[in-house]
Structure formats: structure tokens, C-alpha cells
Amino acid sequence: MLLPYHRVSFGRTVQRGHSHISLRTISGLQRADLFRDSAYIGGKWTVAESGAKHNVVDPANLEIVAAVPNMSSNDANVAIKHAQKAQAEWKRTTARQRANILRRWFDLLHANRDDLATIMTTECGKPLAEARGEVAYGASFIQWFAEEAPRAYGDIIPQHAVGRRLLAIKQPIGVVGAITPWNFPIAMVTRKVAPALAAGCSIVLKPAPETPLSALALARLAEEAGVPPGVFNVVTASKENTPEIGKELTTNSIVRKITFTGSTQVGKILAAQAASTVKRVSLELGGNAAFIVFDDADLDAAVEGCIASKYRNTGQTCVSANRIYVQAGIYDEFAERLAKRIRRMNVGHGLQAGVDVGPLISKEGWEKVSRHVSDALSKGAVAIAGGKPHALGNHFYEPTVLTGLQKNMALIHEETFGPVAGLYKFETEAEVVELANDTPFGLAGYFFSRDVGRIFRVAESLEVGMVGVNEGMISTECAPFGGVKESGMGREGSKYGLEDYLEIKYICMGGIQE
């Protein structure tokens, strides 16, 4: 049964030309028009060519909250052609014009923060307070790249010969294909769409099958902000149809860049497909973050940092602490302090007041968490908090702290993506750096220490793209986000994030009279 505050009212739909206007909504929204169950292509709200739909499910109660178009490669091809047509005009706009539109989009996200958060919590399960925070975080990328748009500077290069001038200018790369995950359904969209639009690119977005409603709400606000038709397109599809849309985006010669956030397995497939047309590719892939607590750390800060990194979004973040290494001298005290905090966490539907931990996104995610815990317990680990499915049932799992982790446990080698903190005891700095780097992944790493020399040594030694020193929350629009090794390539956010959407053109001017 649907919770009273979460009731979805189903009404008729109206077909107008190529538009599909939904009269279905989530009760309690101040703006019902932000709840869209149509795709957005060429400035029109539309259905799949086949007429097929797929369901969006609330992971907390497994109720269907919407049915969106289940599109195919043919629909994606149509969107790409609209993007190509729009790109021809959009790239001619001035950087200031693009910045002004992005700024209006940013303002609209803040004005509709509560509605966007409610939609997000409904489809992905994260607590409402976290969802509100994500809306602000997602909006920050729009603001940042609105400000970066007029600063895509080129260079005048000292000439190598008399009578010549050498210039390097930056131009938009062209049509962009973007594929985003379900765990941050607003921030992962704006982190890709905002720099693309700022650079003068058009974009075709394929949001995650689990969380298309947030992306569609963003498209509605972008439309209102003045983003021209065809510049920002949203193609929705089920998990079954997603591979063919991905293949269309990666192999269609009109698309000149692919940006993807998701698993390493899928990222490798997309990169291989994109090679057929030599597209630029940026990939933000899986992680297996080490979280290290040295014996000179501020333990209170380390516990809070661990909670922020590990249990945010029910542990379903790519930069989540996955392997927690604690030095032997403070191991027991840290474990008890962490467990004490975890036992006080409230679990429930994200729309309920005071909830700290929501459901896992899917049955598959829940089963992986259960498997990791069972594997660890069978090999000698001890659950000092949680350690079993939550009494609420469905996709809920108890926030868990395990002690006694060993190298042979799945939790050490695989990304758990759930609310499980496994603690591994270590003795020396050299030992733990080797353990932390013993993985094919290299997205983020964290450590807590008050030794300045150690801070520099360890930060420089960790084979990751991002390091949190005495901090469990490192994401910001100001800094470059991305990994090394099998965690991907390219950077998002910061001044570097705009570069991935720009091409450098060299111009040699001769015949200049000296």
C-alpha cells in the first residue's frame, strides 16, 4: 500500500501533435508539471516510436510511481538528429548568452528545490534531506559552468618565423551523448549537461532506467530557462533497451563525445564501441575506496568522516569508503565508536522525517549486500552493529559494522554499494598503502592523520584520482572529479571539466608584413 504522503494520482493523458502532456502527478508537489512521464526530444514531450513504456518503481515500497517511454535505438537516432540541427545554431551563440540561460536554469533549480527532492526520493529512495542537498549540489555545477562559459580562453603562440602569427582557439566538440546512473539522478546529469551547454554543445541524455523522473524534471526547467529545442534531449528506456541506445550513441558518427558514469564493466563496452568512430570518451567508473585511520588521527573526526563517506545515500556512491583500514593501536576504540553511532541511525522511507538510511535501489543491490555480509561472517568477521536484512523488508538492510576483515573476503575486492562498513586491522604505514593500492580501481581514497609528513607521503602514494585528508566528503563543483586505473578517464567539475567538451584548433596566419 502506498504511504499517505506518497500517493500517486493517475489521470488521463493528452496527446497534442508530437507532444505528450502528462496529467499524472505526485501529490504534494507545488508544481505538478515537474512530474513528467514523457521523453523530451527536439523540444517536444514525446512517446516511444513503438508506444512501449517501462515502469519506475519506488524502491522503499516497490509501488509503481510512473510509466515512461521505453525507447529504442531508432528513438535515440531521432534525438541525435535533432541535437545535430540544434548544435548548428547553439554553437553560434555567445558565451555570455549561454551563461545567462544556464544562470536562469540554476535559479529555477533552487526555486523548485523541494519538488525536485521529493521526485528524487520517490524514485531512488534516498532520505529527503540528502535529496535536497543533492539538488543544491547539482545546481552548483550549472552555476559553475555558467561562469566558466565566458572563460574558454585560447592562446596567441610566439611565432616560429617572421611574417606569421600562431593562434589556438577552443570550439565546441559537437553533439554529446551522456549516460547517467541512478544513485545521484540530478547531480550526475547537471555535471555533464552544464559543461556541454556552456561549451556550445548539444546533448542527448540517457538517464538510468530506475530514475528518469529527475532528469525529465530538469529538462522541464531547462526548457523554461530558455534552452533552445534540440539542445538538451532526454531519451528514456528500460534496462533491457539501454544497451541498444548506448550502442547508437557510441557508434553514430554525428555524436562526437560520450560521457558515462557507471560500472567499469559497462564503461569498457562503451569505450570499445566509441573507438569505431574515434569519439572522445570520458568515463567515471567503479570504485573500491580505501578509508585509512592512523593511530594519530582525531578519532571523533574519523568516525564522522567514515559515516559521511560510507552511509550517505545508503552506501550507494562510487566514492563511498569500501575498505576501512584502522591501525592496530586504535582499532577497538574506533570500531566501538563507529558502531555506537551506527546503532542510532533511523531506517525508513526517505520521505519520512528523521530518516538517515533509505532502501537499496533494487533487489540485485540488496542481494549483493547480503552476499558480502554473509561471506565475511562465514570467514570469521563479526557484526558489532547490524549484519542482517532490516525488519522493514523489501530493499532495506541494517546499517552494519563488521570487524575482523581479511583479504579473502568479497567485501575487500568488490564494491559493496551498501550500508556496510568492514574494518581491517593494519600495523604500519607502508603496509596499509600497499593494501590500499592492491586493486584495479583508483577513484577515491581517504585517510585521517595529524602527522604533516605522513599526510604528504600517503596522499602522494595512493593510486587514486581524489584524496580526502581528514575529510569524508570531498565532492564539490570547484574541484576535478575523476579516477585513474580502471576507475575511468577524464575529469568533471572545476575548470578542467569544460575542457572535455572543447576542441583546440590551431590557426597559422602567414603573409603578415613586418
Side-chain angles (χ1 to χ4, degrees):
M1 186 172 94
L2 286 173
L3 300 175
Y5 52 78
H6 188 236
R7 186 170 294 113
V8 178
S9 58
F10 293 91
R12 61 189 180 90
T13 57
V14 180
Q15 194 88 19
R16 296 179 182 170
H18 295 291
S19 298
H20 184 256
I21 300 173
S22 172
L23 298 181
R24 180 184 303 176
T25 188
I26 297 175
S27 62
L29 295 181
Q30 296 178 49
R31 282 188 53 173
D33 67 311
L34 294 183
F35 184 90
R36 317 294 296 195
D37 61 1
S38 303
Y40 186 63
I41 297 175
K44 297 183 182 297
W45 297 95
T46 187
V47 297
E49 177 186 62
S50 66
K53 292 195 171 189
H54 90 93
N55 294 330
V56 180
V57 175
D58 181 337
N61 53 31
L62 309 188
E63 294 287 344
I64 296 171
V65 296
V68 300
N70 189 12
M71 292 186 148
S72 67
S73 58
N74 290 340
D75 297 293
N77 183 267
V78 171
I80 291 167
K81 289 177 179 176
H82 277 287
Q84 181 186 35
K85 183 179 179 180
Q87 168 76 20
E89 295 300 321
W90 183 243
K91 69 180 181 181
R92 294 190 180 96
T93 58
T94 68
R96 180 55 60 194
Q97 287 173 318
R98 298 194 295 271
N100 289 341
I101 290 173
L102 285 169
R103 180 67 200 201
R104 288 196 291 271
W105 193 25
F106 163 79
D107 289 338
L108 285 168
L109 260 70
H110 274 287
N112 295 279
R113 183 174 177 177
D114 288 345
D115 280 357
L116 292 171
T118 298
I119 291 169
M120 188 194 312
T121 293
T122 300
E123 65 179 346
C124 84
K126 68 177 59 183
L128 192 59
E130 285 190 26
R132 290 193 185 103
E134 184 183 334
V135 175
Y137 176 52
S140 72
F141 287 101
I142 302 174
Q143 180 186 39
W144 177 269
F145 287 109
E147 295 165 348
E148 285 294 296
R151 298 181 179 85
Y153 301 134
D155 291 296
I156 303 296
I157 303 166
Q159 65 265 29
H160 66 293
V162 175
R164 294 186 180 182
R165 297 294 185 270
L166 312 180
L167 292 76
I169 66 171
K170 295 178 181 178
Q171 296 180 307
I173 196 168
V175 176
V176 174
I179 303 173
T180 54
W182 49 262
N183 56 342
F184 290 93
I186 283 182
M188 296 302 96
V189 171
T190 59
R191 202 162 75 181
K192 299 178 187 301
V193 176
L197 269 55
C201 301
S202 59
I203 190 164
V204 177
L205 169 70
K206 166 62 183 68
E210 298 88 349
T211 57
L213 303 180
S214 293
L216 294 169
L218 288 175
R220 173 67 191 95
L221 293 177
E223 178 184 48
E224 186 175 333
V227 175
V231 171
F232 178 22
N233 306 275
V234 182
V235 176
T236 60
S238 65
K239 186 177 293 186
E240 291 72 23
N241 281 18
T242 291
E244 67 173 272
I245 293 177
K247 187 172 183 180
E248 179 65 28
L249 292 173
T250 52
T251 60
N252 191 308
S253 61
I254 294 172
V255 178
R256 296 311 312 149
K257 172 183 168 63
I258 290 292
T259 173
F260 169 73
T261 297
S263 72
T264 296
Q265 178 186 7
V266 173
K268 289 178 179 179
I269 294 170
L270 296 174
Q273 292 173 347
S276 66
T277 50
V278 196
K279 299 187 196 311
R280 185 180 298 180
V281 177
S282 59
L283 303 171
E284 195 264 284
L285 307 177
N288 187 7
F291 187 101
I292 305 168
V293 185
F294 289 102
D295 55 11
D296 64 336
D298 179 330
L299 281 191
D300 288 334
V303 167
E304 292 306 314
C306 184
I307 289 168
S309 176
K310 175 72 259 183
Y311 296 95
R312 179 169 58 110
N313 198 25
T314 317
Q316 300 170 117
T317 82
C318 55
V319 293
S320 175
N322 198 60
R323 299 166 294 150
I324 301 171
Y325 298 104
V326 185
Q327 203 155 15
I330 57 166
Y331 185 89
D332 291 339
E333 184 179 357
F334 178 86
E336 183 50 43
R337 289 193 191 190
L338 180 62
K340 184 177 179 180
R341 286 281 283 105
I342 296 314
R343 295 184 196 111
R344 298 203 303 265
M345 282 186 163
N346 294 319
V347 179
H349 195 295
L351 291 177
Q352 291 176 321
V355 166
D356 302 302
V357 177
L360 292 152
I361 189 66
S362 66
K363 180 181 179 182
E364 291 78 11
W366 183 91
E367 288 175 342
K368 184 178 185 181
V369 170
S370 298
R371 175 172 60 83
H372 277 196
V373 173
S374 296
D375 172 77
L377 294 176
S378 71
K379 295 174 181 176
V382 176
I384 61 172
K388 61 184 184 297
H390 197 276
L392 288 172
N394 292 335
H395 297 165
F396 291 97
Y397 200 92
E398 291 183 348
T400 296
V401 178
L402 302 176
T403 58
L405 253 65
Q406 301 297 326
K407 288 183 180 180
N408 64 341
M409 297 175 182
L411 197 149
I412 290 289
H413 303 287
E414 300 176 17
E415 189 176 24
T416 301
F417 239 57
V420 179
L423 309 188
Y424 187 111
K425 186 184 296 184
F426 75 93
E427 298 289 344
T428 68
E429 178 184 314
E431 174 196 1
V432 78
V433 169
E434 183 178 353
L435 289 168
N437 290 337
D438 186 21
T439 173
F441 303 104
L443 188 57
Y446 308 85
F447 68 93
F448 280 69
S449 172
R450 287 179 284 195
D451 182 322
V452 175
R454 171 178 281 162
I455 286 172
F456 279 97
R457 287 193 306 270
V458 175
E460 293 169 2
S461 298
L462 292 177
E463 296 172 353
V464 295
M466 300 173 287
V467 180
V469 182
N470 298 322
E471 282 290 342
M473 291 275 285
I474 59 175
S475 299
T476 169
E477 79 280 6
C478 310
F481 191 103
V484 299
K485 300 196 291 188
E486 292 192 18
S487 286
M489 62 183 77
R491 293 296 181 268
E492 295 184 314
S494 80
K495 67 176 184 179
Y496 305 105
L498 192 64
E499 298 297 320
D500 266 354
Y501 297 85
L502 295 167
E503 293 278 24
I504 297 174
K505 179 180 285 185
Y506 158 54
I507 302 172
C508 179
M509 299 175 62
I512 297 173
Q513 296 298 319
E514 299 289 346

